[in-house]
Every structure is written in structure tokens, then in C-alpha cells.
Amino acid sequence: MLRISVLVSGGGTNLQAIIDGIENGFIQGAELVQVISSNPEAYSLERAKKHKVPYMVIDKTNYPDKMERTKATLSALEEAQTDLVILAGYMCILESGLIEAYRGRIINIHPSLIPQFCGAGFYGKHVHEAVLAAGVLESGATVHYVDEGVDTGPIIIQEKVPVLEGDTPETLAARVLETEHKILPKAIKIVIASMAAEIGDR
Ligand code: GAR
């Protein structure tokens, strides 16, 4: 079984999509071994509790030094013998030490059609505000591998979502989230298959 750790900061509807995907058998060959939240108030923690997933908080405010936060996160991932790291609404930028340790084994979900509306400053609601301000007719969601850049790693799966007249950042976010919940479990399946093939090749 491939061991998944999920990093979160907020409500955790994507975390829920992962939990559901594992519980209903859509995602096979993997187990969720840990949830790490950067925010002690995150509703994600309630979801972890409810589904008996071990969780911990690595609070930004307790680790003002990014390097120390990376160290703590890395040791939590290693302690849980993590194979795959999923950033699901994780509002921190990972330091290169962690990316190096888990190269090709960290994925992120982003609420736009990368390479549009991504990079530094584009997260959560800011993404949808920028999409509406630009007046584009479509947005979407992307799951990609994480590299040293912000939202620059290879794309695993991407799906478009229409922008409708009268949309607010909230209505657009809700429509994009529905698509995120569909593509994230699919992307995880793709990643698990490719990791399994890699192990088979050794
Ligand atoms: C999601 O829309 C996710 O794509 C976004 O935050 C939201 C978290 O929702 N992530 C980013 O903006 C990262 N750059 P959730 O907590 O309900 O899963």
C-alpha cells in the first residue's frame, strides 16, 4: 500500500474528496496515513478526526522560520513513511529541501487553468477574483507535480470550467471546486499507477 500524507490549510473539501475516493474504492492501492495542517483552526482537522486519520498541526505562527517549518514537516512525513504528498489547499510554499526529498512524489491542486492565473499571490479566492477581473470566459482546475517554482511543475490533469455571467468569486470558486473534486481522485490514480510501474521497473 502506498502511503499518502495530505497537507492542508483550510476547509478541506479536496481532502474529503481523497478520503471518499479511498473509502469508496475509486482510489486503490493507497492509504491516507496523515493530515498535516498549517492552520490549527482548519475544518480539515475535523474531517481527519471523523475518518480516524492521524493528524497534526504545523502552525505557521509557531514556525516563523521557513527552514524550521520545512524540517518539522519533513520529519513528520518521514515518520509516517510517506510515499506520496498531496497539497490540497495548502497555503504555504514548500522549501527546496522538502521538494528535493520527495521529488516526483508531491502533487498540488490549483483552481485555475495553469499556466493562467497561477504563481506567487494566486491562491484561493485571489485566483477567482483575477479570473473575473480579466473577463475571460473559462477557468478550470489543474493537478500538477510540484517542483521548485510556484505552480510550474508538469501537469497531470486539467479540466475547464465555464465562467458565467453574474459570477462572483464565490460562485466561480464553488463551480471550480466541484471540478477539483472530480479531477483530484483521477490524478491520484494516475500517479499511483505511474509510481507502481516505476517500482516494477526496478
Ligand atoms: C481549492 O480551491 C484549492 O485548489 C486551492 O484552495 C482551495 C482549497 O479548498 N488551492 C490553492 O489556491 C493553492 N494555490 P479546500 O480546502 O476546500 O480543499
Side-chain angles (χ1 to χ4, degrees), residues 15 35 50-51 69 81 91 104 110 143 155-156 163-164 169 180 186:
L15 167 65
V35 170
K50 186 167 171 219
H51 293 270
R69 194 170 75 224
Q81 299 178 306
M91 301 304 175
H110 183 78
V143 182
I155 290 172
I156 302 161
V163 176
L164 303 180
E180 292 184 43
K186 285 187 195 165

Side-chain angles (χ1 to χ4, degrees), residues 130-146:
V131 166
L132 293 176
V136 294
L137 297 178
E138 60 187 16
S139 187
T142 306
V143 182
H144 65 95
Y145 286 103
V146 173

Side-chain angles (χ1 to χ4, degrees), residues 9-15 44 47 88-91 108-111 122-125 127-128 151 173 176-177 180-181:
S9 301
T13 63
N14 280 295
L15 167 65
S44 291
R47 300 182 192 271
Y90 184 60
M91 301 304 175
N108 177 49
I109 182 142
H110 183 78
F122 286 96
Y123 57 90
K125 166 171 149 206
V127 175
H128 308 297
D151 303 326
V176 170
L177 265 180
E180 292 184 43
H181 303 156

